[in-house]
């Protein structure tokens, strides 16, 4: 199986800062190295984030279709985890220190969790709800997410390192508006949160969405019809624009300048994450209404490189670190989903055996 063989491929040495420099990604992608891996015994392995220590966070499904979290270290060692009493575990965020956040479901509802770098779990819940959904964590230990009230309206929250939870709303209810849900997507090291506001009308006519940014001091700014998906340490936001009928990638500078982009010839372009250098990853669809997705990386200068790991019939790129290493999931012809790492040429790589 892929996981048994490819986990023996590791990065040479431990001092990763000496081996990888944040160089630009080649426009032709002829020199990248790929690692495809799986959690042993899983039917689905999907990375969601990678930090600069090359620790990968993800979710996998077992033979009974139950979901669990996993961490994969730089040497390829995989550690599975579940909070106590968890029936289904969904990790969502990984900090530079190795702390993990996410949510899990038990018989009482859906709860947030914090997993320390040492593997200790802390459960938490937003007030007066049975559905708490963290989305990200920064190096300071601040967690962002949202929770649902009794009317299924979502509200944003921030959880401090000490455990204090502060709720917030980026939208307001008004004439003709049935509800206005606040759904954070990401948090950066400065504590800036971005996400979207989803509004429904009492008159029907579908759902309206707009983006927002919340400063560390709680000041909220609406950023138009964009749908943010990520934010880097500089405050640059990445996301999705459009939707009728096509989606485009969008970059919003800290000054509020909006730039849209698309993969040439694509029906839809979905940007999912941005690193500290301004490189963006995501996936694109070749045709509207199908699942034929492929990965892309957009350099800080705007050059777009498309890619698929070897053997892939579908590629979803989900995360990128400051070294330019990309992670995501890849579907193969055997109908199994594997995790992958895409390693640019400027990161030295060697097969030194599993550690």
């Amino acid at each position: 199986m892929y996981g048994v063989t490819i986990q023996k491929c590791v990065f040479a040495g431990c001092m990763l800062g000496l081996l990888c420099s944040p160089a630009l990604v080649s426009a032709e992608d002829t020199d990248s190295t790929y690692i495809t891996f799986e959690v042993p015994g899983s039917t689905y392995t999907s990375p969601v984030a990678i930090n600069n220590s090359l620790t990968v966070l993800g979710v996998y499904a077992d033979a009974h279709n139950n979901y669990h979290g996993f961490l994969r270290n730089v040497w390829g060692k995989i550690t599975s985890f579940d909070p106590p009493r968890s029936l289904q575990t969904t990790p969502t965020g990984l900090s530079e220190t190795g702390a993990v956040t996410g949510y899990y479901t038990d018989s009482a509802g859906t709860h947030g969790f914090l997993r320390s770098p040492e593997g200790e779990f802390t459960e938490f819940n937003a007030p007066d709800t049975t559905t708490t959904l963290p989305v990200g964590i920064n190096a300071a230990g601040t967690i962002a997410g949202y929770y649902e009230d009794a009317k299924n309206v979502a509200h944003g929250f921030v959880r401090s390192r000490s455990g204090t939870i502060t709720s917030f709303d980026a939208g307001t209810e008004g004439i003709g508006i049935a509800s206005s849900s606040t759904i954070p997507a990401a948090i950066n090291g400065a504590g800036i949160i971005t996400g979207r506001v989803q509004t429904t009308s009492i008159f029907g006519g579908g759902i309206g969405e707009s983006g927002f940014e919340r400063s560390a001091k709680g000041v909220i700014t609406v950023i138009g019809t964009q749908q943010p998906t990520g934010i880097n340490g500089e405050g640059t936001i990445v996301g999705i624009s459009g939707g009728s009928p096509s989606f485009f990638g969008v970059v919003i500078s800290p000054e509020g300048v909006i730039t849209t982009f698309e993969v040439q010839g694509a029906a839809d372009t979905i940007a999912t994450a941005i690193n500290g250098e301004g490189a963006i990853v995501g996936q694109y669809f070749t045709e509207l209404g199908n699942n034929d997705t492929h990965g892309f990386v957009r350099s800080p200068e705007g050059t777009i490189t498309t890619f698929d790991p070897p053997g892939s019939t579908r590629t979803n790129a989900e995360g990128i670190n400051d070294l330019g290493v990309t992670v995501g999931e890849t579907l193969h012809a055997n109908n199994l989903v594997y995790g992958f790492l895409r390693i640019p040429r400027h990161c030295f790589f060697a097969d030194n055996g599993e550690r």
Side-chain angles (χ1 to χ4, degrees), residues 99-336:
V100 173
T101 193
Y103 54 92
Y104 73 95
T105 302
D106 63 12
S107 58
T110 301
H111 318 278
F113 73 83
L114 169 66
R115 182 186 187 272
S116 73
E118 296 74 32
E120 298 177 353
F121 287 96
T122 301
E123 174 195 318
F124 61 90
N125 296 281
D128 302 319
T129 183
T130 58
T131 304
T132 301
L133 303 163
V135 298
I137 182 172
N138 65 16
T142 305
I143 296 173
Y146 62 100
Y147 65 94
E148 295 180 351
D149 63 22
K151 297 181 179 179
N152 295 321
V153 175
H155 308 272
F157 75 82
V158 183
R159 182 185 186 273
S160 70
R161 184 182 182 92
S162 63
T164 301
I165 293 178
T166 303
S167 64
F168 67 90
D169 289 294
T172 58
E173 297 190 5
I175 297 174
I177 298 176
S179 65
S180 186
S181 286
T182 299
I183 306 173
I187 182 172
N188 72 0
I192 301 172
I193 298 169
T194 191
R196 70 187 195 275
V197 179
Q198 192 174 68
T199 303
T200 59
S201 170
I202 63 174
F203 305 113
I207 298 174
E209 289 190 326
S210 60
F212 74 86
E213 175 183 300
R214 182 187 186 273
S215 74
K217 295 182 178 180
V219 178
I220 294 173
T221 304
V222 176
I223 51 178
T225 59
Q226 321 308 324
Q227 300 176 39
T229 56
I231 184 171
N232 68 8
E234 300 298 319
T236 302
I237 294 171
V238 68
I240 306 165
S241 180
S244 181
S246 297
F247 291 101
F248 303 91
V250 62
V251 186
I252 306 170
S253 73
E255 297 75 29
V257 178
I258 297 174
T259 303
T260 60
F261 65 89
E262 63 180 324
V263 175
Q264 186 175 7
D268 284 315
T269 300
I270 309 295
T272 56
I274 183 170
N275 71 6
E277 303 300 314
I280 297 166
V281 296
Q283 48 264 353
Y284 67 96
F285 294 77
T286 55
E287 296 180 15
L288 290 173
N290 70 12
N291 289 321
D292 184 19
T293 58
H294 309 271
F296 75 83
V297 176
R298 181 184 186 269
S299 76
E301 291 73 29
T303 300
I304 294 177
T305 302
T306 61
F307 68 89
D308 287 288
S312 176
T313 61
R314 190 183 73 203
T315 302
N316 292 331
E318 299 295 342
I320 185 170
N321 68 9
D322 292 343
L323 309 175
V325 180
T326 302
V327 295
E329 64 178 42
T330 172
L331 176 68
H332 283 203
N334 59 6
N335 211 33
L336 293 179

